[in-house]
Amino acid sequence: MELSSDRAVARLEMSQIQSEDGELLNDNSDRDYESLPPHVSVTTHMTAGAVAGILEHTVMYPVDSVKTRMQSLQPDPNAQYKSVYEALKRIIKTEGIFRPLRGLNITMMGAGPAHALYFACYERVKHSLSDIIQSGGNSHIANVGVAGSVATVLHDAVMNPAEVVKQRMQMYNSPYRGLWDCVRTVTHTEGVGAFYRSYSTQLTMNIPFQAVHFITYELMQEQLNPHRHYNPGSHIVSGAAAGAVSAAVTTPLDVCKTLLNTQENVALTSVNVSGHLSGMANAFRTVYRVGGLAAFFKGIQARVIYQMPSTAIAWSVYEFFKYFLTKHKLEQEVVSGQL
């Protein structure tokens, strides 16, 4: 079995060498790890996506908690922070070491199925459109324009309720005792619709986010990994760059989403908004009335710091799964050929 494994790896490396020389054979082009083996099931895609998604959201979760607080339009004097580090230090000192992790449980519950659907849908639509547009090639139009958008609609449909609960639990002086207390209270006082109050804003943010994300990732890969081999370093750097750029340009929409999710009472009262705020247009007007143009970029530092490693983790984990599955397929073929 060890010999078979070595031969399988050798075959994979040989296909890579041939690619570098520009003499990749048609037979070996199907071995490229960028395209998962045809026998891989939707369940496998979903498993890979779920693992990547959970790691993406959990590793940097404390920074996400800081981002939510820094996006507050009218923060409590005790929750005004100058930097991410200063915020984390003060939260831990005054509220306890586990306070930055509050809401992590609902995030993990949402991130698994949301990313499973996302990556499964993305791969399926990407390959289908690539076959139509470029006869099996790697089309930026398929990757960015349609596949990412369709996948985002499914992802956000699952993740949006989790985001509402998470952000309400992250806020300073959150009145909720825990996950289920938050779910029950919101449902009782605001109705089930409260969990999707920011859905249109979330989509409006995430579709351009994913477009910029995939464009940046693909452009970085073309420069750092033009032959599209398994290269962890290039996946990490490309993922980090993609996360930073897409996070920065979509921060104004994220501020509006946070306002819709948290229904920040002090901010709404200051501009005489009664009841619950709904709708992207109303959120934009409220953010501008409370803080002007500068308010649209509140928390941008924390958002970029959170997204860079998170996106790098998600891509490196997912690319590893693709490489591992392809290598496993080659090993199976070598063993079958020896029988």
Side-chain angles (χ1 to χ4, degrees):
M1 189 62 185
E2 194 173 308
L3 180 61
S4 299
S5 175
D6 291 342
R7 289 181 180 178
V9 174
R11 285 181 61 188
L12 186 60
E13 290 174 346
M14 182 61 70
S15 69
Q16 293 176 345
I17 294 172
Q18 288 172 324
S19 174
E20 291 171 356
D21 293 336
E23 300 175 357
L24 185 63
L25 299 177
N26 290 333
D27 177 63
N28 283 337
S29 65
D30 293 332
R31 317 279 188 210
D32 188 350
Y33 92 97
E34 284 289 323
S35 298
L36 284 169
H39 75 288
V40 173
S41 66
V42 173
T43 302
T44 303
H45 284 292
M46 297 180 77
T47 302
V51 173
I54 290 173
L55 287 174
E56 173 187 355
H57 283 278
T58 56
V59 172
M60 295 296 292
Y61 187 83
V63 178
D64 184 60
S65 295
V66 170
K67 182 216 70 164
T68 295
R69 292 195 180 191
M70 293 181 79
Q71 287 181 334
S72 173
L73 298 179
Q74 295 284 359
D76 185 281
N78 293 320
Q80 295 180 1
Y81 313 109
K82 297 179 180 178
S83 68
V84 174
Y85 175 75
E86 188 259 341
L88 282 172
K89 184 178 178 181
R90 199 198 311 175
I91 291 171
I92 292 172
K93 183 178 180 180
T94 60
E95 302 176 50
I97 191 171
F98 294 111
R99 188 61 179 82
L101 298 177
R102 199 160 190 257
L104 178 60
N105 48 0
I106 186 62
T107 300
M108 294 179 66
M109 290 169 63
H115 280 73
L117 284 173
Y118 179 85
F119 278 106
C121 178
Y122 173 72
E123 290 285 356
R124 179 62 60 88
V125 175
K126 180 183 71 173
H127 287 300
S128 297
L129 293 180
S130 292
D131 289 338
I132 296 172
I133 298 173
Q134 289 190 350
S135 300
N138 185 25
S139 168
H140 289 297
I141 297 175
N143 286 356
V144 178
V146 181
S149 298
V150 175
T152 298
V153 172
L154 292 177
H155 170 276
D156 289 357
V158 175
M159 199 65 191
N160 206 86
E163 283 283 319
V164 172
V165 176
K166 178 198 76 172
Q167 291 198 297
R168 294 199 180 206
M169 294 181 68
Q170 287 174 331
M171 293 294 285
Y172 180 75
N173 273 343
S174 172
Y176 309 106
R177 295 189 301 273
L179 164 61
W180 297 116
D181 177 53
C182 182
V183 173
R184 284 193 299 268
T185 303
V186 172
T187 303
H188 178 70
T189 59
E190 302 177 42
V192 177
F195 295 106
Y196 283 94
R197 193 177 283 132
S198 65
Y199 184 51
S200 60
T201 303
Q202 182 97 335
L203 286 177
T204 304
M205 175 183 71
N206 278 346
I207 289 176
F209 177 94
Q210 295 300 343
V212 174
H213 175 183
F214 283 114
I215 288 173
T216 305
Y217 185 81
E218 293 289 345
L219 290 176
M220 290 292 292
Q221 282 292 284
E222 287 179 359
Q223 297 299 315
L224 300 177
N225 189 19
H227 299 295
R228 301 305 176 97
H229 300 154
Y230 177 62
N231 185 333
S234 75
H235 301 317
I236 291 172
V237 173
S238 298
V245 174
S246 53
V249 300
T250 58
T251 294
L253 289 163
D254 193 50
V255 172
C256 293
K257 182 206 75 174
T258 297
L259 177 60
L260 289 170
N261 279 346
T262 59
Q263 296 292 307
E264 191 181 341
N265 290 328
V266 176
L268 297 183
T269 302
S270 69
V271 290
N272 298 318
V273 174
S274 59
H276 303 300
L277 187 71
S278 62
M280 183 174 63
N282 289 333
F284 264 93
R285 281 194 295 268
T286 303
V287 171
Y288 183 76
R289 288 173 63 189
V290 173
L293 290 176
F296 288 103
F297 293 92
K298 291 175 73 69
I300 187 172
Q301 179 194 43
R303 181 165 162 78
V304 171
I305 291 174
Y306 167 74
Q307 285 291 346
M308 284 184 69
S310 297
T311 311
I313 289 168
W315 274 112
S316 59
V317 169
Y318 192 68
E319 299 284 11
F320 169 76
F321 264 84
K322 293 166 77 172
Y323 173 74
F324 174 79
L325 290 168
T326 304
K327 191 174 83 166
H328 181 66
K329 172 66 174 175
L330 289 175
E331 291 175 352
Q332 288 183 324
E333 290 180 354
V334 170
V335 172
S336 298
Q338 290 178 337
L339 296 178

